[in-house]
Amino acid sequence: MAATSPASRLVASAARERLRPLGLNQRGRSRIWVDDRGWWLGIVEFPSPTWSQGSGLTVGVMWLWQDLGHLAFDFTEQVQPRQDFRNEMQFGAVAAALADQAGDRVETFRSTFGGLDQVAERLLERPVRRGFLWESFNAGVAAALVGRPVEARDR
């Protein structure tokens, strides 16, 4: 088994401290944390740079009205681009800040997507973008689920 990098260890520790109390679970030993809301998942990812140590932060939502068999970001925000690891002291503060931002975004998504009506409203307010089929699909499903057949068909 490969040794865990200092950056990964610091991210995992900061995420455990901030995200576990919110009820999120780490997916294996990955840098992905999941917030199971029953009919949607909140996903927090601390992506690792390809050729160096460090981390960024992406937080999003996966709607569970289709069975994909894998995690996917259906609604996402790149909260923080990559932050490089220089030393443990510097990156410990970076990891803590990333975990705090992740926790804040999780709490925001929980209130933003508290019910199907809120989800439909939020997804339908986004403009239709050519080439982004799944955005329109998800908006249409949400509209159908809340009894808005005209918008559902349009999407």
Side-chain angles (χ1 to χ4, degrees), residues 95-142:
L98 290 173
D100 283 341
Q101 289 176 324
D104 292 346
R105 294 308 306 153
V106 164
E107 291 172 334
T108 298
F109 281 151
R110 286 177 176 177
S111 65
T112 300
F113 301 126
L116 275 174
D117 287 323
Q118 291 172 289
V119 170
E121 198 61 44
R122 183 71 189 264
L123 296 183
L124 289 169
E125 73 187 15
R126 298 171 84 187
V128 175
R129 299 190 302 165
R130 188 171 174 83
F132 290 84
L133 170 69
W134 292 112
E135 284 183 8
S136 289
F137 172 82
N138 288 320
V141 169

Side-chain angles (χ1 to χ4, degrees), residues 2-144:
T4 303
S5 73
S8 290
R9 183 177 42 75
L10 290 167
V11 165
S13 175
R16 264 192 308 275
E17 187 174 306
R18 176 67 166 102
L19 300 179
R20 259 204 195 133
L22 295 176
L24 277 74
N25 293 304
Q26 185 177 13
R27 187 156 190 199
R29 293 178 47 107
S30 74
R31 289 183 174 205
I32 296 173
W33 289 74
V34 177
D35 183 24
D36 189 345
R37 307 309 296 166
W39 56 279
W40 61 271
L41 299 177
I43 304 170
V44 175
E45 180 182 25
F46 298 94
S48 177
T50 304
W51 301 107
S52 63
Q53 289 191 54
S55 185
L57 175 60
T58 304
V59 182
V61 170
M62 177 180 179
W63 313 118
L64 296 178
W65 44 63
Q66 60 180 333
D67 184 13
L68 294 179
H70 62 274
L71 293 177
F73 287 108
D74 291 320
F75 187 96
T76 185
E77 295 179 356
Q78 180 184 15
V79 178
Q80 192 63 247
R82 184 183 85 206
Q83 303 288 314
D84 290 324
F85 175 92
R86 291 191 296 274
N87 59 56
E88 290 202 25
M89 180 178 286
Q90 166 266 340
F91 198 74
V94 168
L98 290 173
D100 283 341
Q101 289 176 324
D104 292 346
R105 294 308 306 153
V106 164
E107 291 172 334
T108 298
F109 281 151
R110 286 177 176 177
S111 65
T112 300
F113 301 126
L116 275 174
D117 287 323
Q118 291 172 289
V119 170
E121 198 61 44
R122 183 71 189 264
L123 296 183
L124 289 169
E125 73 187 15
R126 298 171 84 187
V128 175
R129 299 190 302 165
R130 188 171 174 83
F132 290 84
L133 170 69
W134 292 112
E135 284 183 8
S136 289
F137 172 82
N138 288 320
V141 169

